[in-house]
Amino acid sequence: STVVLVFQALALKKQEDEASLSEFRFCVDKGDKIRMGEALGR
Amino acid sequence: MHTSSQGRNPFVVPGATVATILMLGALHARRMYNDKKIEEAKESGVELELQPDVKAKFLNMLPLRSISRFWGSLTSTELPIWLRPYAHRAWARAFHSNLEEVALPLDQYASLKDFFVRALKEGSRPIDSDPHSLVSPVDGTIMRVGELKEGVLIEQVKGFSYSVSSLLGSGSFFPLIAAKEASEDSSLQEKNLRDEGTKSWWRISLASPKLRESSSSRPITGLFYCVIYLGLGDYHRVHSPVDWNVLLRRHFSGRLYPVNERATRTIKNLYVENERVVLEGRWQEGYMAIAAIGATSIGSIKLSIEPDLRTNQPRKKLLQSEAPEERVYEPEGTGLSVKKGEEVAVFNMG
């Protein structure tokens, strides 16, 4: 079985917003093993 | 190999059996050799391309849904109590399940099917506490991650991609969410938009998934994706990756091809053709969708938030072009509120 997640998140950081906003980053890569509850991205 | 008809040696194997064993051995050796080559290619960073093969064509002719349901009935057979620990341990050994984290003693799982959908001991899967994190909904292996670019395609393998709208359904909530964000003034949007008075600058297009605004000083959001494969020994319950509102459920009654790595390399449109359940909704950053895709052995999906839904049902004729069955959750526009880490679905055997 397979699960596909599709979601919207901040993609680009604007200079004037740097203090308060940051873009979405995955913290996993292709081939990684992951368990439920572990962070996929922040 | 042959002896006289009167005095057969019981330890001598007939020639046809020897030939069959040799043939199977040769096929297995070839498969192992191919797998080794693929593994070496992956280690050296070579991307795999789609290679349709005879097996894929053969699978197309098989009644995979019927096979899946038969497998489901077989594995739901109640086992004698004394046999249960042996059967479940054998499964765990074969597919690398961790028996330390199983919630109940093994003899309390009456069938293999019950064991397969086992819950885990409390605390086995701590949820990442960072309020800005998006967590994995399942145990598994990451197949793909990335941001959707022009054309809204997810790559299955090098040189072959499938469209997100085909996977999730063409009547996606994308425009509806954009329209809502254009007219509403909710706290979720406040977080995203940072004190902006009007939201009318939002617009969205499936051809270009970035949500842009007319003023260049405002943030730009994108659409991201993550594909996770669950092995047979993995924990098979699906949890919520974030706090969100589920607005709609879509059920596609499709084929049930296997979805292992080999299948992704040999069967085109694998995820788009297979039976699946899609949940769509909204989280603090905007749109969110989860697609739970079935396979031959794990053909049905049960939703915790909609227990009446039945999947992998017998059908007289399967039409691939058939529209998915949809349900909009009440109250319309708000839907069901689901917390990060909350269970939303279970993959079942057969």
Side-chain angles (χ1 to χ4, degrees), chain A residues 2 6-9 31 36 38 40, chain B residues 134 136 139 142 211 222 224 289:
Chain A
T2 301
V6 177
F7 55 94
Q8 196 180 337
M36 192 282 286
E38 290 175 351
L40 275 179
Chain B
L134 184 144
S136 176
D139 282 11
I142 306 289
L211 284 172
F224 296 83

Side-chain angles (χ1 to χ4, degrees), chain A residues 1-14 16-17 20-21 24-26 28-42, chain B residues 125 128 130 133-143 194 211 216-217 219-226 228 230 236 283 285 287 289-291 293:
Chain A
S1 25
T2 301
V3 164
V4 181
L5 268 183
V6 177
F7 55 94
Q8 196 180 337
L10 198 68
L12 289 179
K13 194 187 323 193
K14 292 289 173 187
E16 59 267 42
D17 292 325
S20 55
L21 291 177
F24 180 83
R25 288 278 172 96
F26 279 107
V28 291
D29 213 342
K30 191 181 158 189
D32 289 352
K33 292 264 182 196
I34 193 157
R35 302 210 302 176
M36 192 282 286
E38 290 175 351
L40 275 179
R42 298 178 199 281
Chain B
R125 295 286 181 277
D128 188 273
D130 181 351
S133 71
L134 184 144
V135 300
S136 176
V138 289
D139 282 11
T141 307
I142 306 289
M143 303 292 281
R194 308 280 170 192
L211 284 172
S216 61
S217 66
I220 294 177
T221 61
L223 280 172
F224 296 83
Y225 68 92
C226 180
I228 308 171
L230 292 80
H236 261 74
W283 73 306
E285 301 290 328
Y287 178 80
I290 302 180
I293 304 163

